Amino acid sequence: MQTIDTKELIEFPSADLADNFEFSCATENGYFTFHFKWLMDKWNLWVTLPEGDVRQAGVEPGVISWSEFSDYGLVFETQLETIDYNSLFLTELYLIKWL
């Protein structure tokens, strides 16, 4: 099991929700790009890391993506049981830096 070094809230853009959108942000660990796409009745997410690698992440409540990697993890925190189209912006997205 990984140990968390930092856990940083990633703010969603202040725009209307769309089927396909992307935003970038600077974090304490570098510059990340988040690309969301609504496919087959669920959100899909691809993240470009500061080094240029692209990883896919699950958009499921409380599920930590990338726990098998030694650098970063990603988690959506919410009280919702599922994240449907209209509830994405009701979640909190956190970038985790592993020790």
Side-chain angles (χ1 to χ4, degrees):
M1 181 165 181
Q2 300 277 33
T3 302
I4 295 174
D5 181 30
T6 60
K7 185 175 174 183
E8 186 172 357
L9 177 64
I10 303 299
E11 297 286 344
F12 284 109
S14 57
D16 291 335
L17 194 58
D19 290 355
N20 187 1
F21 69 96
E22 181 176 294
F23 66 95
S24 298
C25 65
T27 72
E28 62 185 64
N29 295 298
Y31 196 75
F32 290 79
T33 300
F34 299 86
H35 184 166
F36 287 86
K37 193 168 194 173
W38 182 254
L39 290 172
M40 301 179 69
D41 293 327
K42 68 177 188 171
W43 283 111
N44 293 265
L45 171 60
W46 295 268
V47 181
T48 304
L49 307 180
E51 302 80 22
D53 295 336
V54 177
R55 292 186 190 161
Q56 189 168 9
V59 184
E60 299 291 333
V63 175
I64 298 177
S65 294
W66 313 336
S67 58
E68 70 275 15
F69 289 94
S70 62
D71 50 4
Y72 304 107
L74 197 70
V75 66
F76 289 85
E77 292 188 357
T78 180
Q79 295 298 316
L80 301 170
E81 291 183 23
T82 60
I83 302 171
D84 63 21
Y85 183 86
N86 292 309
S87 64
L88 179 64
F89 286 176
L90 301 175
T91 68
E92 292 183 334
L93 172 58
Y94 287 92
L95 178 68
I96 297 167
K97 175 74 173 113
W98 303 122
L99 273 179

